[in-house]
Amino acid sequence: MQTTPSAAEDEIAAEQAVAKTTKVAASRVSALRASPSLKHLPRERMVVPGPTVCACCGGDRLRKLGEDVTETLETIPRRWKVIQHVR
């Protein structure tokens, strides 16, 4: 007879899975940035618009503090491009 895993065991397994995927994603990003051979690839820039009003007070005097750019490598048959996601 098999016993079902407890909620704590499920939570531990989920945390371990997230830790593994985070490490893989971080290594891919650092490899993408570190590789000088990818500089020649075309880039597609997808800008995600920021909020126009403050979620807390509803004020509309927001200013851009910076941006977060994530690059992923996508393969298209016989063609490569880098897609930048800007938030």
Side-chain angles (χ1 to χ4, degrees):
M1 181 161 98
Q2 291 183 331
T3 60
T4 58
S6 68
E9 291 172 340
D10 287 342
E11 186 175 327
I12 291 171
E15 288 175 1
Q16 290 174 346
V18 168
K20 288 179 184 177
T21 58
T22 304
K23 289 177 186 174
V24 170
S27 66
R28 287 183 184 165
V29 170
S30 62
L32 182 62
R33 289 186 185 155
S35 177
S37 63
L38 300 177
K39 300 276 187 208
H40 70 283
L41 294 175
R43 275 158 166 76
E44 179 180 319
R45 193 167 174 95
M46 300 173 64
V47 179
V48 178
T52 56
V53 294
C54 177
C56 295
C57 68
D60 60 351
R61 296 183 61 194
L62 299 178
R63 294 193 177 112
K64 181 178 178 179
L65 296 176
E67 62 183 28
D68 180 29
V69 179
T70 303
E71 292 186 336
T72 57
L73 189 59
E74 184 175 302
T75 179
I76 300 170
R78 298 194 181 256
R79 197 175 79 179
W80 289 84
K81 69 179 177 180
V82 176
I83 300 174
Q84 296 178 335
H85 297 272
V86 181
R87 289 179 277 294

